[in-house]
């Protein structure tokens, strides 16, 4: 079973870092295939806490080669500062591979992200402001800058010129901002070339060769299923494909190579940014989930919106990703509630609906239909096996599994590396 995809089954922030890190010790390559430094993974190793944005979690496992695939958008300054931050803490980052085809988040992409959001006002998406959307827009518009362009000054200059030609018109005439100088951008980008050179590689070739040699490759999704540009709650989504298919295009491997797709599922639901969220809580329960779960964005520091578990979304994630397993995280956060509501269906304009509506209007009108499950009060953070969990916690997990449509193969009971119950092995 050499190729696994690990991705968020909800709106991101499900605790993917912990899951990837758990597997990191037994895999040969950990690959990011989409997104950029809009992501934020927290990995706790011993008493050390690492916040990663762009680098794959595998960077913390000495035997593992971390890879940034062609589908990722890369802000070179963020990448270099994340690398030097890890080096200062004694982490060896020399094995990192960076696709020459990955697109670069330029300074003007960041500017456009911020001014567009400001311009949208009430209708803003609530982006992370990292330039993600505008960089993917340039990629699709065929005016993007790729990592390989840093090594040909003439090509780089022509491409920056082409990109800024239109953007400067928009910035000056529509947004009333100053034009951005081509030379300045080119100079800044060229300044990254030598520093990035040791990492740049043909990652598609490397990964396919690795798979031929039966090496274990883990594809690590950023964000989550409901933030997918095609399958998420459009337009309140990110600009890439975190869903399983994105691993194929964003890393250059065929779908026949993927053997397992693991969805990371939080035992309740969170979301950052704008957009519909049927089980969102505005009361003290929501506040308690936020406080106990530490639900504050790793990247933006924004408070996350919190709500009960939504089985309709979990079923949807199983379907669009072809999930083979779930990794249930943060079960410990639910300790202490007498009863735990779980959303089993929606009521939309007076009708009960079991599956995620494809219409944006319907989804905005969806009200959760709850089933109450009995809670538990015992500390579960020391549980090592499923049978160590209190009966009601076991029933909660079993109920989620049944509603969600794939086996729950691991359960997170605390933030630490060891605080995980493995029900079935992933490898
Ligand atoms: P962007 O990815 O910065 O363009 O933001 C688009 C939407 O995706 C916003 O609602 C963000 O809050 C959300 N988003 C982006 N990255 C993450 C993430 O890693 N976790 C959760 N939400 C995210």
């Amino acid at each position: 079973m050499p190729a696994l995809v690990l991705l968020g089954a909800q709106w991101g922030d499900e605790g993917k870092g912990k899951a990837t890190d758990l597997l990191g010790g037994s895999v040969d390559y950990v690959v990011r295939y989409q997104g950029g430094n809009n992501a934020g993974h927290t990995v706790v190793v011993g008493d050390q806490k690492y916040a990663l944005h762009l680098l794959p979690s595998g960077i913390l496992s000495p035997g593992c080669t971390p890879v940034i695939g062609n589908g990722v958008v890369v802000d070179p300054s963020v990448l270099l500062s994340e690398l030097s931050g890890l080096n200062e803490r004694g982490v060896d980052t020399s094995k990192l591979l960076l696709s020459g085809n990955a697109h670069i988040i330029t300074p003007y992409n960041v500017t456009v992200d911020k001014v567009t959001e400001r311009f949208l006002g009430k209708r803003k998406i609530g982006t992370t402001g990292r330039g993600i959307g505008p960089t993917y827009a340039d990629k699709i518009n065929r005016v993007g800058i790729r990592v390989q362009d840093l090594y040909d000054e003439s090509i780089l200059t022509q491409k920056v010129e082409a990109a800024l030609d239109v953007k400067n018109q928009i910035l000056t005439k529509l947004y009333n901002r100053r034009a951005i100088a081509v030379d300045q951008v080119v100079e800044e980008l060229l300044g990254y070339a030598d520093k990035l050179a040791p990492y740049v590689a043909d990652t598609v070739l490397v990964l396919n060769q690795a798979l031929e040699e039966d090496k274990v490759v883990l594809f690590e999704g950023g964000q989550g299923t409901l933030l997918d540009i095609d399958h998420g709650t459009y337009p309140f989504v990110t600009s890439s494909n975190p869903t399983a298919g994105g691993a194929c295009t964003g890393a250059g491997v065929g779908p026949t190579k993927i053997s397992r797709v693991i969805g990371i599922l939080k035992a309740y639901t969170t979301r950052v940014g704008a957009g519909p969220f049927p089980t969102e809580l505005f009361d003290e329960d929501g506040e308690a989930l936020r406080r106990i779960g530490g639900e504050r964005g790793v990247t933006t520091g924004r408070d996350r919106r919190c709500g009960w578990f939504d089985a309709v979304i979990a079923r949807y994630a199983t379907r669009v990703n072809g999930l083979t397993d779930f990794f249930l995280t943060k079960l410990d956060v639910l300790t202490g509630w007498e009863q735990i509501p779980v959303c089993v269906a929606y009521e939309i304009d007076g009708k009960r609906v079991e599956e995620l509506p494809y219409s944006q209007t319907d989804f905005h009108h969806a009200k959760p239909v709850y089933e109450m499950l009995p809670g538990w009060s015992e500390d579960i953070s020391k549980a090592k096996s499923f049978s160590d969990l209190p009966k009601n916690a076991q029933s909660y997990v079993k109920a989620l599994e049944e509603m969600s449509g794939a086996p729950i193969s691991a359960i997170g009971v605390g933030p630490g590396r060891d605080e995980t119950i493995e029900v079935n092995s992933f490898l």
Side-chain angles (χ1 to χ4, degrees), residues 11-13 38-40 125-129 132 223 227 237-238 272-274 302:
W11 275 287
D13 306 315
N38 48 347
I125 305 295
T127 72
T128 58
I132 307 296
Q223 293 82 49
L227 286 173
V237 291
T238 192
V272 279
R302 289 183 287 186

Side-chain angles (χ1 to χ4, degrees), residues 325-365:
D325 305 76
F326 279 114
F327 188 136
L328 186 71
T329 58
K330 293 193 149 182
L331 184 64
D332 53 302
V333 174
L334 294 179
T335 300
W337 266 275
E338 225 165 272
Q339 289 205 301
I340 308 171
V342 168
C343 169
V344 294
Y346 299 142
E347 193 197 293
I348 302 174
D349 302 329
K351 271 205 218 107
R352 184 182 166 108
V353 174
E354 306 279 338
E355 303 299 345
L356 199 87
Y358 75 86
S359 138
Q360 185 188 349
T361 310
D362 284 351
F363 195 53
H364 277 266
H365 293 172

Side-chain angles (χ1 to χ4, degrees), residues 36 163 225:
T225 299

Side-chain angles (χ1 to χ4, degrees), residues 57-386:
S57 315
I59 199 103
L60 300 171
S61 303
C64 179
T65 302
V67 179
I68 296 179
N70 55 278
V72 177
V73 289
V74 178
D75 185 325
S77 66
V78 172
L79 177 57
L80 291 168
S81 75
E82 211 162 288
L83 287 169
S84 64
L86 289 175
N87 295 152
E88 277 161 25
R89 292 173 73 178
V91 178
D92 176 18
T93 57
S94 60
K95 289 171 92 172
L96 175 72
L97 300 178
L98 168 64
S99 168
N101 285 346
H103 280 247
I104 288 190
I105 302 177
T106 62
Y108 52 80
N109 293 137
V110 179
T111 305
V112 170
D113 194 358
K114 289 183 178 151
V115 293
T116 312
E117 281 283 275
R118 220 168 296 147
F119 195 73
L120 281 170
K122 262 201 340 255
R123 288 172 295 140
K124 72 175 182 190
I125 305 295
T127 72
T128 58
R130 303 296 193 262
I132 307 296
T135 306
Y136 279 114
D138 279 2
K139 172 176 175 174
I140 300 300
N141 263 336
R142 293 162 294 193
V143 290
I145 310 292
R146 294 187 292 175
V147 168
Q148 58 176 290
D149 298 328
L150 301 183
Y151 303 98
D152 185 329
E153 186 173 345
S154 155
I155 286 279
L156 178 68
T157 310
Q158 289 174 46
K159 289 190 174 180
V160 172
E161 257 165 17
L164 279 178
D165 225 15
V166 177
K167 261 175 212 88
N168 273 336
Q169 300 284 335
I170 296 174
L171 283 173
T172 53
K173 296 191 177 142
L174 185 64
Y175 294 125
N176 211 14
R177 306 275 297 204
R178 241 178 291 155
I180 296 172
V182 172
D183 299 356
Q184 229 173 317
V185 174
V186 170
E187 195 187 318
E188 177 178 335
L189 295 180
L190 286 175
Y192 300 125
D194 286 349
K195 294 181 193 132
L196 292 179
Y199 308 112
V200 181
D202 180 351
T203 54
V204 173
L205 183 64
V206 171
L207 290 172
N208 279 284
Q209 281 174 340
L211 287 167
E212 269 159 38
E213 288 163 19
D214 253 357
K215 293 274 195 299
V216 181
V217 180
L218 179 66
F219 299 93
E220 172 185 83
Q223 293 82 49
T225 299
L226 274 296
L227 286 173
D228 186 281
I229 187 86
D230 285 279
H231 303 291
T233 46
Y234 190 90
F236 302 101
V237 291
T238 192
S239 299
S240 63
N241 289 113
T243 48
C248 297
T249 47
V253 299
T256 48
K257 297 277 165 51
I258 309 284
S259 39
R260 212 151 169 184
V261 185
I262 303 158
I264 313 301
L265 192 63
K266 209 184 294 201
Y268 50 98
T269 315
T270 61
R271 167 165 208 172
V272 279
F277 177 1
T279 64
E280 183 169 16
L281 293 166
F282 300 95
D283 57 8
E284 61 269 26
D285 281 332
E287 197 39 59
L289 288 174
R290 190 172 303 121
R291 192 186 62 250
I292 304 166
E295 298 297 351
R296 182 175 273 268
V298 179
T299 298
T300 58
R302 289 183 287 186
D303 272 352
R304 295 181 185 138
R305 301 156 64 191
C306 295
W308 299 121
F309 184 82
D310 185 336
V312 182
I313 279 173
R315 273 199 293 282
Y316 177 74
T318 304
R319 190 175 310 127
V320 293
N321 293 302
L323 296 182
T324 55
D325 305 76
F326 279 114
F327 188 136
L328 186 71
T329 58
K330 293 193 149 182
L331 184 64
D332 53 302
V333 174
L334 294 179
T335 300
W337 266 275
E338 225 165 272
Q339 289 205 301
I340 308 171
V342 168
C343 169
V344 294
Y346 299 142
E347 193 197 293
I348 302 174
D349 302 329
K351 271 205 218 107
R352 184 182 166 108
V353 174
E354 306 279 338
E355 303 299 345
L356 199 87
Y358 75 86
S359 138
Q360 185 188 349
T361 310
D362 284 351
F363 195 53
H364 277 266
H365 293 172
K367 296 201 172 56
V369 175
Y370 285 119
E371 213 171 78
M372 302 304 274
L373 300 180
W376 61 93
S377 55
E378 300 89 332
D379 174 17
I380 60 168
S381 62
K382 304 284 173 303
K384 291 277 169 258
S385 69
F386 188 70

Side-chain angles (χ1 to χ4, degrees), residues 32 39-43 50-60 82 86 298-299:
R32 284 266 326 249
H41 292 329
T42 307
V43 184
Y50 299 90
L52 304 173
H53 298 285
L54 186 54
L55 289 165
S57 315
I59 199 103
L60 300 171
E82 211 162 288
L86 289 175
V298 179
T299 298

